[in-house]
Amino acid sequence: MAPPTSPRTTTPTLPWVGVRACRSGASNCFIVSILLTILVGASAQPDFARPLNNVSVPVGRDATFSCVVSDLGGYRVTGGRKETLQVGWVKADTKAIQAIHKHVITHNSRVSVSHSDHNTWMLHIRGVQEEDRGPYMCQINTDPMRSQIGHLEVTVPPEIDDATSSSDVMVPEGSNAILSCHAKGYPVPKITWVREDKKPLSLRTNDVAKPKVKHMNYEGAVLNLTQITRSDMGPYLCIANNNVPPPVSKRIIVQVTFRPVIHVPNQLIGVPVGSPATLVCNLEASPKSIQYWTRDSGEIVISNSEYKVFEKYTNYYMTTMTLNISSFKASHAGVYLCTAKNSLGETQGRIEVYEIDVPTQPPLEEDYEEEEKEEAIGGRGSQTDRRGHINEVGYGGEGRNGHLPRPHDPTNRHQEGRGGPRHPQHQTEPRGS
């Protein structure tokens, strides 16, 4: 008779996954998967009290899943033994067990578990990385197994890829400029273009009736600036945003090159002796030009006791050139040239300065009345005639007829003898001229 054999025992394993284990010092890992037979000895079956929460955290932060189970006090019978029902955690996409009940199974040192009152079981992931992203399953080893899944979303703030994005560009006026901007992050960042000076973007279209439209911003990784003009010059910002703070931006300077151009507001300036004078030239040039003032004799005008030279940059390509004459004298009369040169060309503006006589002060109204009384007594004409005569030959700059006197103009003499003409049609020339 054969000796009795000892009863064989089975090794319990979780029925829902394969167990990945590594021996210490071994280079290879093996997966063991054994089915369990579960007999529940309690009358009430455990269940989930609420759905497993989804978690979304930025990379580097901590994440926690909370699995709330009711009636977990039951047990199962396996091989003649009663075993308590347990909660396990599994990364569903890779089938890797994270923890069983109070014990961490994974070799990831950033994973830990905890529980509260045996009904709330928590899986903690410290300093999450992008590879932690995915579905996580909370399981109860009932028969059949019960489970629910929550997703871990690992967000990554945007980061602009300088290697694949545009740097500063320089293009001739009338040509095309293509700006590109690429960014990394999760979710995929959205790219928005704006001008740093808050001016609208000038975008060309294929519509003949409306070939150019203006927008305050433009969305897309590539910004096409076709038939570019000098008004399109300046810094552009490409902004990457995926609602994960903070958004980031890259500054790209667009320089449009063209020959210098000078606009002269006043080409002819009359100045009385002893008065100050201001000469202005408005310059547009890109790249920046060298600019200076000269006399028609070729003499370069610089700041000194007689002249003051100023330059004011109004934007990326416009400059206001100003020459102040402190106290005008006869030797200052003549032609002044404002000159600008850059690598693409040269241009000049011309201003002529001439001397004008100092006008006399027109008589006051009280003087009119006094002279009219004298003339009425002497019988020299009517009040209306005398008033009209004075109005005709008065100083034009500050007086009544609105015309500046020209240099060496005999009509610039504002005094007239007592016996002058009385009728307006004869008063265009003063007496004695």
Side-chain angles (χ1 to χ4, degrees):
M1 183 174 181
T5 59
S6 61
R8 300 180 60 186
T9 59
T10 58
T11 302
T13 59
L14 293 175
W16 52 83
V17 296
V19 178
R20 181 182 299 270
C22 293
R23 296 181 179 180
S24 177
S27 59
N28 298 322
C29 295
F30 61 93
I31 298 176
V32 179
S33 180
I34 304 176
L35 296 177
L36 295 178
T37 302
I38 303 173
L39 298 176
V40 178
S43 59
Q45 288 288 326
D47 204 354
F48 297 109
R50 61 170 179 257
L52 186 61
N53 59 305
N54 293 323
V55 179
S56 178
V57 295
V59 63
R61 299 289 184 88
D62 298 342
T64 299
F65 286 100
S66 296
C67 186
V68 181
V69 181
S70 60
D71 300 321
L72 193 61
Y75 61 91
R76 67 181 182 182
V77 178
T78 302
R81 298 196 310 261
K82 289 184 179 181
E83 295 184 0
T84 304
L85 295 176
Q86 297 179 334
V87 174
W89 291 97
V90 180
K91 195 167 189 302
D93 54 352
T94 62
K95 307 298 184 183
I97 297 177
Q98 304 298 297
I100 298 176
H101 216 55
K102 302 178 183 180
H103 306 288
V104 175
I105 303 301
T106 180
H107 294 285
N108 187 346
S109 61
R110 296 181 290 107
V111 174
S112 62
V113 291
S114 64
H115 67 280
S116 175
D117 298 331
H118 291 279
N119 64 349
T120 301
W121 299 83
M122 289 168 283
L123 176 70
H124 308 280
I125 306 174
R126 186 180 68 256
V128 296
Q129 303 299 318
E130 290 193 68
E131 58 266 24
D132 297 326
R133 183 185 296 121
Y136 286 78
M137 182 184 294
C138 174
Q139 297 182 348
I140 308 173
N141 58 342
T142 56
D143 186 15
M145 176 266 294
R146 299 187 180 187
S147 66
Q148 57 180 356
I149 294 178
H151 289 267
L152 174 61
E153 192 69 89
V154 181
T155 60
V156 181
E159 180 183 358
I160 293 178
D161 186 1
D162 287 328
T164 59
S165 300
S166 296
S167 55
D168 296 347
V169 298
M170 179 185 294
V171 293
E173 189 169 34
S175 61
N176 302 332
I178 300 177
L179 308 182
S180 62
C181 184
H182 302 280
K184 299 176 289 185
Y186 191 87
V188 176
K190 180 178 67 175
I191 302 296
T192 303
W193 294 90
V194 297
R195 291 188 63 165
E196 188 180 65
D197 54 11
K198 308 300 182 184
K199 293 181 180 179
L201 301 171
S202 297
L203 305 177
R204 274 67 178 179
T205 68
N206 295 324
D207 187 354
V208 178
K210 195 175 183 181
K212 186 177 181 180
V213 295
K214 293 184 178 295
H215 297 283
M216 293 308 298
N217 57 64
Y218 174 79
E219 292 185 3
V222 178
L223 176 65
N224 287 305
L225 301 174
T226 58
Q227 298 178 7
I228 198 167
T229 66
R230 63 194 67 181
S231 61
D232 298 321
M233 188 185 308
Y236 288 70
L237 297 178
C238 114
I239 303 172
N241 188 10
N242 62 354
N243 295 323
V244 181
V248 293
S249 65
K250 179 179 176 66
R251 188 174 188 260
I252 302 173
I253 297 178
V254 176
Q255 183 174 0
V256 181
T257 60
F258 56 91
R259 293 168 56 91
V261 177
I262 289 180
H263 306 277
V264 180
N266 297 308
Q267 296 181 341
L268 191 62
I269 299 176
V271 189
V273 172
S275 299
T278 300
L279 287 64
V280 176
C281 289
N282 294 321
L283 165 66
E284 297 181 8
S286 178
K288 293 293 184 183
S289 62
I290 298 173
Q291 51 268 358
Y292 53 90
W293 291 90
T294 59
R295 299 288 301 270
D296 51 354
S297 61
E299 174 192 358
I300 296 179
V301 180
I302 60 175
S303 293
N304 53 33
S305 59
E306 297 183 3
Y307 300 102
K308 299 296 180 184
V309 177
F310 302 97
E311 292 180 357
K312 180 181 178 181
Y313 296 95
T314 55
N315 62 19
Y316 302 102
Y317 60 92
M318 296 181 66
T319 304
T320 301
M321 301 174 59
T322 304
L323 174 62
N324 288 337
I325 301 175
S326 302
S327 179
F328 181 81
K329 54 187 179 182
S331 61
H332 292 146
V335 174
Y336 292 78
L337 300 174
C338 51
T339 304
K341 299 179 181 180
N342 70 4
S343 58
L344 301 178
E346 175 182 350
T347 189
Q348 281 185 336
R350 184 180 185 275
I351 301 175
E352 182 179 352
V353 180
Y354 61 89
E355 177 186 346
I356 60 174
D357 294 337
V358 179
T360 59
Q361 182 70 25
L364 299 176
E365 188 68 27
E366 292 80 0
D367 298 333
Y368 292 157
E369 296 176 357
E370 187 66 28
E371 290 182 6
E372 288 168 358
K373 289 179 182 179
E374 293 177 359
E375 290 181 357
I377 295 172
R380 296 182 183 179
S382 66
Q383 179 179 1
T384 304
D385 288 338
R386 181 59 178 165
R387 187 184 295 268
H389 171 68
I390 294 173
N391 186 39
E392 182 69 23
V393 299
Y395 166 54
E398 300 289 342
R400 299 171 178 271
N401 63 5
H403 298 284
L404 281 171
R406 295 290 295 172
H408 311 299
D409 187 350
T411 62
N412 193 29
R413 293 177 303 200
H414 303 297
Q415 296 184 352
E416 187 177 4
R418 292 273 185 175
R422 301 295 184 219
H423 301 287
Q425 61 267 27
H426 299 297
Q427 295 172 10
T428 56
E429 290 290 335
R431 184 176 178 178
S433 59

